[in-house]
Structures are given as C-alpha cells and as structure tokens.
Amino acid sequence: MKQEYLKLTGSWGDITLVCGNTHDEPIEMVLQEGPSSLFYACPKYHRENRSEGERTCNNRLSIDDFLKALEALHGKIIEAELQDEKLQLTNYEWKDRKGTRYKVLKHEGNQLTISVFNKKAIITYP
C-alpha cells in the first residue's frame, strides 16, 4: 500500500509536515515511536523542546492518517492530470473524517509543506 502513495511526489522526503497548532512559527513534526506504531508529533510535546513556561503541544498524526492525507492529495492530482491541468496545491485545505485539518502551505515542484491540526489530539490530551 505504501508504494502507491510514495508515487505522489517520489518519496516521503518531499513532504514536510508542520504543526498547525498555535505556534508563532511553523514547527516541523517529527516521527515518534508509539506503543503500537510510528506517528508524527509536534516536538513541543517534549519538555526539552519547550521554553520555560511554554505549554505542551499534543498535536500528532498517525501514519495511517498520513497515508490517507496523501491519498486525498493523490486524488486531486489525478483529477487534474485527467483534465490536462497542472495542479498548484498551495493554500489547498481539507478535513478528514476525524476532523483533522490540513493545509498545503507550500507546493513547489515535488516539495509539499503541509500544516496538520488534529483537534481531537489536542483536546484529548491536555
């Protein structure tokens, strides 16, 4: 299944996920090892990545949800290709069925920077 989604941009390295929570500057999400699988998380979850008095950020995205987000983008790209259009995804926004919000902040060539805000994770783990 992963190989199909890697074709979106050629490699996962072409996609940068950033935390869409209330940070002053975009913060790149990092892969974390969970109890049962890998997931992307805001580095501000860990004390060593926060300034004194800065709140914890619990924003995260499972690998399964990441793949589903790529599937949504892949569908848009295929639709455009079928109409002989070159798609520019900058500022494209969508929500998944769980309510996670995504926004393409930058689309240059094969490089995508995508903001992720998983409200359920923020509320569930204060």
Side-chain angles (χ1 to χ4, degrees):
M1 182 164 109
K2 289 181 185 176
Q3 292 300 321
E4 178 183 338
Y5 300 111
L6 292 176
K7 291 178 186 176
L8 175 67
T9 62
S11 77
W12 284 20
D14 290 338
I15 298 172
T16 302
L17 295 180
V18 296
C19 183
N21 202 357
T22 57
H23 304 292
D24 293 333
E25 297 290 325
I27 298 172
E28 187 172 341
M29 297 178 84
V30 294
L31 274 173
Q32 302 280 308
E33 189 169 336
S36 60
S37 65
L38 292 173
F39 63 97
Y40 284 95
C42 179
K44 296 291 185 173
Y45 175 77
H46 300 287
R47 181 180 307 267
E48 64 269 14
N49 296 327
R50 297 190 310 264
S51 305
E52 188 173 325
E54 187 176 12
R55 294 185 59 175
T56 301
C57 180
N58 296 311
N59 197 20
R60 67 182 185 283
L61 185 70
S62 72
I63 293 296
D64 285 343
D65 288 338
F66 174 66
L67 291 174
K68 288 174 187 171
L70 291 184
E71 182 179 7
L73 291 175
H74 191 252
K76 296 291 284 181
I77 290 169
I78 288 175
E79 182 181 316
E81 286 178 356
L82 290 173
Q83 298 176 18
D84 279 338
E85 297 174 356
K86 183 172 173 143
L87 190 60
Q88 174 49 253
L89 291 168
T90 300
N91 294 319
Y92 175 66
E93 298 180 60
W94 77 100
K95 281 186 184 180
D96 66 16
R97 62 181 177 77
K98 295 179 180 178
T100 301
R101 292 190 322 244
Y102 302 90
K103 180 177 183 179
V104 178
L105 300 177
K106 185 167 61 170
H107 178 197
E108 293 178 353
N110 287 338
Q111 302 290 314
L112 293 170
T113 301
I114 302 170
S115 172
V116 176
F117 181 71
N118 181 349
K119 184 177 179 179
K120 189 174 182 181
I122 301 296
I123 293 172
T124 305
Y125 300 97

